[in-house]
Amino acid sequence: MNWEMNPGRRKFLQSLGCCVTIELIPNINFAYQPKVKQLAAAPAEVPLVLEFGPATEVWAYNGQVPGPLLRYQQGDTLRIELENLLEEPTTIHWHGLRVPVTMDGVPVVSQPAVPPGEKFRYEFVLEDAGTFWYHPHVSSSKQVGKGLRGVLIVDEKVPPEVNRDVLWVLDDWRLNQEAQIVPFSGNRHDASHNGRMGNVVTVNGNIGEEFTVYPGERMRLRLVNVSNARTFSLQFKPIIPWLIALDGHPVTPRKIDDEQVVLGAGQRADLIVDIPESPSESLPVIDHSFGSEFAYELMHLVFDSTQTYSSSVSAPAKLPANPVPAPNLHQAIKHKMVFEGGAMGGLSGAILNGTYLNMRELVERDKFWALNGMVPDDVLTDPPILTLKRGQSYIFELINRTAFEHPIHLHGHSVFVISANELPVEFPMIRDTILIAPNEKQEIAFVADNPGIWMFHCHVLEHQETGMTSMIAVI
Ligand code: C2O
Ligand code: CU
């Protein structure tokens, strides 16, 4: 049966020349397992499209997509054993957590990838509170794209007062008519354009329709974009949420009025959402991933008046800062990071392994992207492109000379975003993944305080695997 043809409340969305994008939504009651000690990566079947079609074969942690929600308190020690029940090596990378490099899950530089049938024990102290996530760092486009990804919440010692703490894991899949994942074939068009865009969006692992809210309640809504490539741009109107954290780190709470909540691949946002006291029939949450003309309804907020709250009018308090060292901007050493390449990027060539190759020669090697005129050969064994001095402050000027946006992720550190297009940022933020638009320039500053060799890459996983990645050493 062709599940796409099913009647139902699914909406269709043209996605930039590709297939039809079907937007689908969950009824979220996220299973939280307090005592997860083991994550087994294995093939599984999950009901991504629910009653609209057959179960989807995925790769999953403990049989669940997204993986089990891991939850700790700030200062706790995480102890998780990964068991690899796949037919290929894997690892876990703890995205956004400032961990020792041996726990970072990057093959070769952190640990040998865990072979099929074997186990690896991760153990580290959770220094920062916030919303984080985990995923493999081996064949990322395929392993993450087939379903290996989950969320890790680290609670503040005193969490803010809300009626509910809610998690929406936003994901994007490319499914065929049988609701099966389209094979990962190293699609050159995806890799040289905006990555593998899906045709199905899920929230918390399935295509629900509605999310129940209670009149007057104050929710903390944690949004996590675990998709391979898609940027979500959410609009909650007529509700005006407060933004309280980005990538796990507190911001001064501010109302998101006409702005959209933008999440590049890998990014997170924590909101405070005040539900009105007088119910309307339902309220839409709209995603503008591909601009307003392709906007679609990601979620319906549906009122349940069996439980009511008197609405909060006060601004939420700022969350306590995480212990991220503040860079010294006067003594910071500056480095330019120029991203080039991709379709319509006008890159004529770049250096690979000491040899200049023209664009055609790069493409023959499945390399589409360059950083500072260089393309990695094998990023795991190439020498680092930069060596930073431990304890020193640095400013990276990220310059996007491509026709696409890129969520740039640095491992092992959280960075202060200080300027965009030569202007100081209006709202200071600390992030681990920085979304840079075409022709944009952003400056980030940080103290290189975590010794090791760290990955620095685009989180569009198809870009990461075709040149947009490199290593930075801190010694
Ligand atoms: Cu979320 Cu290098 O990764
Ligand atoms: Cu990219």
Side-chain angles (χ1 to χ4, degrees), residues 93 95 106 133 135 137 266 409 411 455 457 459 464:
H93 169 62
H95 184 119
V106 175
W133 65 296
H135 61 78
H137 227 295
H409 176 45
H411 286 209
M455 239 188 197
H457 66 87
H459 223 287
Q464 179 197 328

Side-chain angles (χ1 to χ4, degrees), residues 269-305:
D270 286 36
L271 308 177
I272 294 286
V273 180
D274 292 320
I275 301 298
E277 267 182 34
S278 34
S280 43
E281 223 164 70
S282 69
L283 294 170
V285 177
I286 307 289
D287 176 29
H288 297 260
S289 290
F290 295 111
S292 298
E293 72 251 56
F294 301 109
Y296 67 98
E297 199 176 87
L298 176 79
M299 187 73 78
H300 241 61
L301 304 182
V302 178
F303 282 84
D304 176 349
S305 302

Side-chain angles (χ1 to χ4, degrees), residues 48-128:
L48 282 187
V49 299
L50 295 174
E51 71 268 29
F52 303 118
T56 304
E57 289 174 21
V58 296
W59 288 357
Y61 293 116
N62 299 2
Q64 300 168 41
V65 167
L69 171 58
L70 309 178
R71 193 153 199 168
Y72 298 86
Q73 210 189 50
Q74 189 170 18
D76 283 354
T77 299
L78 170 148
R79 291 187 186 87
I80 297 264
E81 188 175 64
L82 165 66
E83 185 178 13
N84 183 3
L85 301 176
L86 305 170
E87 283 178 354
E88 59 182 60
T90 191
T91 61
I92 298 181
H93 169 62
W94 309 92
H95 184 119
L97 288 160
R98 300 182 296 132
V99 302
V101 72
T102 50
M103 294 288 118
D104 199 44
V106 175
V108 184
V109 301
S110 302
Q111 62 176 107
V114 184
E118 297 202 9
K119 296 178 177 177
F120 184 87
R121 190 179 159 88
Y122 292 94
E123 177 169 340
F124 50 86
V125 176
L126 297 152
E127 311 271 2
D128 297 332

Side-chain angles (χ1 to χ4, degrees), residues 3 30 38 42 67 88 96 134 136 198 225 249 267 306 313 332 334 336 346 359 425 460 469:
W3 65 278
F30 206 92
Q38 201 183 48
E88 59 182 60
Y134 59 93
N225 180 359
H249 295 284
Q267 293 188 314
T306 57
V313 281
K334 267 201 183 197
K336 256 195 201 339
M359 200 59 199
V425 289
V460 170
T469 185

Side-chain angles (χ1 to χ4, degrees), residues 302-317:
V302 178
F303 282 84
D304 176 349
S305 302
T306 57
Q307 212 173 326
T308 58
Y309 299 87
S310 49
S311 61
S312 318
V313 281
S314 55

Side-chain angles (χ1 to χ4, degrees), residues 339-357:
F339 297 95
E340 292 175 294
M344 303 169 287
L347 181 67
S348 45
I351 293 170
L352 183 140
N353 249 338
T355 309
Y356 180 87
L357 300 180

Side-chain angles (χ1 to χ4, degrees), residues 39-244:
L39 291 174
E45 280 192 7
V46 295
L48 282 187
V49 299
L50 295 174
E51 71 268 29
F52 303 118
T56 304
E57 289 174 21
V58 296
W59 288 357
Y61 293 116
N62 299 2
Q64 300 168 41
V65 167
L69 171 58
L70 309 178
R71 193 153 199 168
Y72 298 86
Q73 210 189 50
Q74 189 170 18
D76 283 354
T77 299
L78 170 148
R79 291 187 186 87
I80 297 264
E81 188 175 64
L82 165 66
E83 185 178 13
N84 183 3
L85 301 176
L86 305 170
E87 283 178 354
E88 59 182 60
T90 191
T91 61
I92 298 181
H93 169 62
W94 309 92
H95 184 119
L97 288 160
R98 300 182 296 132
V99 302
V101 72
T102 50
M103 294 288 118
D104 199 44
V106 175
V108 184
V109 301
S110 302
Q111 62 176 107
V114 184
E118 297 202 9
K119 296 178 177 177
F120 184 87
R121 190 179 159 88
Y122 292 94
E123 177 169 340
F124 50 86
V125 176
L126 297 152
E127 311 271 2
D128 297 332
T131 308
F132 303 96
W133 65 296
Y134 59 93
H135 61 78
H137 227 295
V138 178
S139 306
S140 298
S141 168
K142 180 176 70 172
Q143 290 199 6
V144 181
K146 286 183 87 142
L148 292 166
R149 49 222 167 179
V151 169
L152 191 163
I153 291 175
V154 184
D155 282 307
E156 299 80 15
K157 292 234 160 84
V158 185
E161 257 181 60
V162 290
N163 300 115
R164 267 200 302 166
D165 191 329
V166 169
L167 171 63
W168 286 3
V169 183
L170 309 175
D171 208 345
D172 181 34
W173 307 80
R174 188 179 290 179
L175 301 186
N176 64 19
Q177 308 272 301
E178 286 77 47
Q180 300 310 311
I181 297 173
V182 174
F184 289 80
S185 58
N187 183 315
R188 287 182 163 180
H189 183 274
D190 289 350
S192 59
H193 289 73
N194 54 357
R196 181 179 164 108
M197 292 293 160
N199 54 356
V200 173
V201 168
T202 58
V203 181
N204 294 351
N206 44 57
I207 63 162
E209 284 99 20
E210 43 198 44
F211 181 75
T212 303
V213 295
Y214 304 100
E217 72 169 331
R218 171 167 274 193
M219 286 194 300
R220 177 178 187 164
L221 178 58
R222 301 171 190 261
L223 302 169
V224 184
N225 180 359
V226 302
S227 62
N228 279 35
R230 182 188 287 253
T231 297
F232 287 89
S233 291
L234 305 188
Q235 201 180 47
F236 290 80
K237 262 184 178 169
I239 292 178
I240 303 175
W242 297 86
L243 179 69
I244 60 166

